[in-house]
Amino acid sequence: MKNQIMLQTPPMGWNSYDYYDTTVNEDQIKANADYMAAHLKDFGWEYIVVDIQWYAYGAGTRRDKYQYIPFGKVEIDEYSRLIPCSERFPSSAGGNGFAPLAHYIHKLGLKFGIHIMRGIPRIAAHTHGKLMGTDKTANEIADPGSVCSWNPDMYGVIPGVEGAQEYYDSIIELYAIWGVDFIKCDDICRMDVPSAKQEIVMLHKAIKKCGRPMVLSLSPGPALIHESWHYSTYANMWRITDDFWDDWKYLLPMFERCEIWQNHVSEGNYPDCDMLPVGMIGKGFGQERPTRFTREEQITMMSLWCMFRSPLMIGGELTLLDDWTLKLLTNKAVLKLLTDSEGARQLWRDDHHCLWLSHDKTDGTQYLAVFNLSNVERPILIEADMAGLSSFCGLTLTELWTGNSKSLEEKDMSVTLPGHGAAIYQYNP
């Protein structure tokens, strides 16, 4: 069975969650799409993703007590399918759904994505809602014991019963009509409940059937390494971490996670390091702030994500990006790793430093990433044989973040980096 869409490169885009949490509205989505089209599209950024609870009324209004208001009012159609809240997405009124917003984004030359939760709305099960394509009702396919531990909106679907696949077929058919290009399905990746594994398969089948290419992204992590075949067979992206935020305590463990998953990155299949919490974030959480990552830590994060070839989803509000952050996100030499490199692997990691190596797909160019994992500036000695070389002597190395080049005259190389800093060197052996 093939994937929903054969992605030659990791998806790159923006997701509303890190800044807006559950509160994003239509005007805010359009403003971020306009910014992406004007400033980021030429560098490969193309997906605009509406994250969680776009169907909910009053989302974010009780943030002091709940992230997701229990049993709150939601917008739902006659076939038990969640549709956009028209108070927040006015163009969805009259049965339009997300079609007008998707059309707006497509006209900018971009692609449109939405977040969904695994399963069927609990309100549909409680009211015995109808299902498209079957005489069964929502209560007959819903598993009342399968509820997300952190979001109360849905029941899991019982695999194999009549109506279950038909329900998933119906929601994906609706998304295809709207013009959805990307689906981020939540409460499914780490398989917390027994049905999650088969619900991934049901989503996959529904996407294949709908006739519209769609990326299937699975959240939250950490994904299970022993289920790597399942992820790569039925999805395009899968989160290898829980929600990733702007603190070194979250960034440091990503080196180990990337090491675990480094042999499972291939065309169409991308272990996902999660969103980039850069720029301004946190407004919907009641704590709007610039990212807490230092500039060095942001360079380290982008270097690891790009060397590993993770999907890239910007979490910060695009319209508030400063010049430095925009340059971080539009460095063509670094972003080229996503499209033109392969075979990335960790060479070395201890408490103080880490080395990654990859190569260009066509011309043999090598890329060596050096990371200072300590919190103070320090020199890092890189022995030539670590990079598969007899000597660095005579090689010219170009550092991708600065563009600076240097010719080496020694067998081994020494690099001095600030605390939590990184550098990526390009050279032809």
Side-chain angles (χ1 to χ4, degrees), residues 200-360:
I200 294 171
V201 178
M202 287 192 280
L203 277 166
H204 170 87
K205 288 180 177 178
I207 292 172
K208 288 192 71 176
K209 183 179 179 181
C210 82
R212 181 179 180 83
M214 296 182 191
V215 174
L216 179 56
S217 169
L218 307 179
S219 287
L224 309 175
I225 187 64
H226 64 273
E227 295 289 0
S228 59
W229 179 88
H230 196 82
Y231 299 128
S232 63
T233 301
Y234 298 112
N236 302 111
M237 300 165 44
W238 51 93
R239 282 261 297 278
I240 63 174
T241 181
D242 203 341
D243 287 358
F244 178 80
W245 283 104
D246 51 331
D247 192 306
W248 181 253
K249 70 181 181 182
Y250 297 117
L251 181 50
L252 181 59
M254 294 306 296
F255 287 90
E256 181 179 3
R257 296 189 188 282
C258 289
E259 178 194 1
I260 290 169
W261 285 96
Q262 64 185 3
N263 294 328
H264 298 275
V265 180
S266 63
E267 188 172 293
N269 301 133
Y270 302 104
D272 178 13
C273 292
D274 200 16
M275 288 179 281
L276 302 164
V278 297
M280 293 296 295
I281 59 176
K283 183 177 181 180
F285 299 86
Q287 44 181 287
E288 184 176 17
R289 64 182 188 276
T291 181
R292 296 187 182 113
F293 279 139
T294 66
R295 289 186 173 184
E296 289 76 17
E297 289 166 348
Q298 292 176 71
I299 290 171
T300 286
M301 175 178 61
M302 280 291 290
S303 298
L304 181 61
W305 270 230
C306 290
M307 284 291 292
F308 179 69
R309 300 186 71 225
S310 169
L312 299 183
M313 288 288 165
I314 301 166
E317 167 67 11
L318 296 184
T319 65
L320 299 177
L321 290 181
D322 59 28
D323 289 343
W324 186 90
T325 307
L326 181 60
K327 289 178 182 178
L328 176 82
L329 298 170
T330 55
N331 183 308
K332 288 184 176 180
V334 174
L335 294 176
K336 189 173 184 285
L337 293 167
L338 295 178
T339 58
D340 291 11
S341 72
E342 63 182 4
R345 66 189 191 278
Q346 180 182 280
L347 299 179
W348 179 271
R349 178 166 50 86
D350 58 23
D351 291 340
H352 303 294
H353 74 282
C354 182
L355 304 175
W356 276 71
L357 184 72
S358 69
H359 62 269
D360 190 273

Side-chain angles (χ1 to χ4, degrees), residues 1-189:
M1 235 180 238
K2 293 184 178 179
N3 288 320
Q4 290 73 14
I5 180 173
M6 183 51 70
L7 292 168
Q8 293 183 339
T9 60
M12 299 169 60
W14 173 84
N15 179 292
S16 63
Y17 183 76
D18 280 3
Y19 188 74
Y20 291 102
D21 186 28
T22 60
T23 68
V24 74
N25 64 38
E26 185 166 351
D27 286 344
Q28 292 160 346
I29 293 293
K30 285 182 175 180
N32 279 275
D34 291 343
Y35 184 96
M36 180 177 286
H39 302 284
L40 294 167
K41 184 175 73 169
D42 290 345
F43 298 88
W45 302 92
E46 59 177 347
Y47 288 94
I48 295 288
V49 181
V50 182
D51 209 270
I52 197 163
Q53 282 205 323
W54 40 264
Y55 46 79
Y57 287 82
T61 58
R62 301 180 67 186
R63 198 64 179 79
D64 58 327
K65 295 184 68 175
Y66 304 110
Q67 184 174 15
Y68 309 104
I69 299 171
F71 310 109
K73 181 183 176 182
V74 300
E75 196 75 66
I76 193 167
D77 75 1
E78 62 177 316
Y79 292 112
S80 303
R81 301 177 297 187
L82 293 168
I83 56 178
C85 170
S86 58
E87 287 185 355
R88 292 161 55 202
F89 299 93
S91 70
S92 69
N96 289 323
F98 271 131
L101 182 55
H103 178 69
Y104 181 92
I105 288 168
H106 291 154
K107 283 186 67 177
L108 294 173
L110 304 174
K111 295 179 180 179
F112 178 65
I114 60 172
H115 171 287
I116 66 172
M117 295 295 296
R118 175 186 63 87
I120 190 164
R122 294 174 76 176
I123 187 62
H126 296 170
T127 57
H128 297 197
K130 294 192 295 184
L131 303 174
M132 180 175 281
T134 177
D135 292 333
K136 299 297 181 181
T137 51
N139 56 297
E140 295 179 271
I141 71 166
D143 179 356
S146 177
V147 180
C148 175
S149 63
W150 42 268
N151 179 297
D153 295 344
M154 314 291 273
Y155 286 132
V157 168
I158 304 171
V161 302
E162 183 180 345
Q165 186 63 55
E166 286 85 351
Y167 165 71
Y168 271 116
D169 289 348
S170 75
I171 64 169
I172 298 300
E173 179 183 340
L174 180 64
Y175 304 157
I177 292 170
W178 289 347
V180 171
D181 305 297
F182 182 106
I183 294 171
K184 173 186 174 182
C185 186
D186 219 334
D187 188 38
I188 201 167
C189 183

Side-chain angles (χ1 to χ4, degrees), residues 394-406:
L395 295 183
T396 298
L397 284 77
T398 301
E399 204 287 306
L400 300 187
W401 288 109
T402 63
N404 295 334
S405 296
K406 61 180 179 181

